[in-house]
């Protein structure tokens, strides 16, 4: 996976919609400032890699629902990476995931983080 200016790692899924919302909000903000961005879904967050997994996640104003943020993020060129080992640990396969997202391995996570100008870890 090609490095981007901004990388956010997210460890939480539907059980913590506030953290998910903040991760997408910050990744969108990076794109809005002209930076390239990758959001890495790790640990329980890999469940968000399933099609339509963000539907219904809405913590209210001033934040947009996560599904709206995801659509904007992808439209603006943001990338989603899924931790392959985390998927296996959670009983998921690449076939379960949204095909727009890329499955990566641990060394790829390191490359993305080391190659970024800035990062945010939400764990």
């Amino acid at each position: 996976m090609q490095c981007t200016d901004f990388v956010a790692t997210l460890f939480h899924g539907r059980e913590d919609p506030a953290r998910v919302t903040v991760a997408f909000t910050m990744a969108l903000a990076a794109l809005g400032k002209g930076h390239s961005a990758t959001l890495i879904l790790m640990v329980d967050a890999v469940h968000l890699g399933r099609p339509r997994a963000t539907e219904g996640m809405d913590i209210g104003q001033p934040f947009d629902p996560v599904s709206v943020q995801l659509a904007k993020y992808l439209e603006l060129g943001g990338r989603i990476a899924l931790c392959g080992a985390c998927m296996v640990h959670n009983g998921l396969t690449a076939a379960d995931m949204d095909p727009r997202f890329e499955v990566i391995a641990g060394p790829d996570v390191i490359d993305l983080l080391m190659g970024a100008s800035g990062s945010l870890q939400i764990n």
Side-chain angles (χ1 to χ4, degrees), residues 33-115:
K33 294 183 75 58
H35 302 290
S36 56
T38 300
L39 179 55
I40 306 173
L41 305 182
M42 303 179 76
V43 192
D44 293 327
V46 295
H47 291 282
L48 298 174
R50 300 179 84 157
R52 298 175 304 284
T54 61
E55 288 180 6
M57 294 184 74
D58 185 358
I59 63 171
Q61 292 300 319
F63 301 99
D64 285 335
V66 176
S67 60
V68 171
Q69 291 190 61
L70 172 60
K72 286 181 189 175
Y73 178 75
L74 293 173
E75 181 181 311
L76 293 173
R79 295 177 9 211
I80 304 283
L82 303 164
C83 170
C86 300
M87 286 171 35
V88 170
H89 177 76
N90 282 283
L92 300 168
T93 68
D96 297 319
M97 299 302 166
D98 188 315
R100 299 173 294 178
F101 306 161
E102 184 175 345
V103 178
I104 62 173
D108 300 312
V109 173
I110 301 303
D111 289 344
L112 285 166
L113 289 170
M114 297 304 292

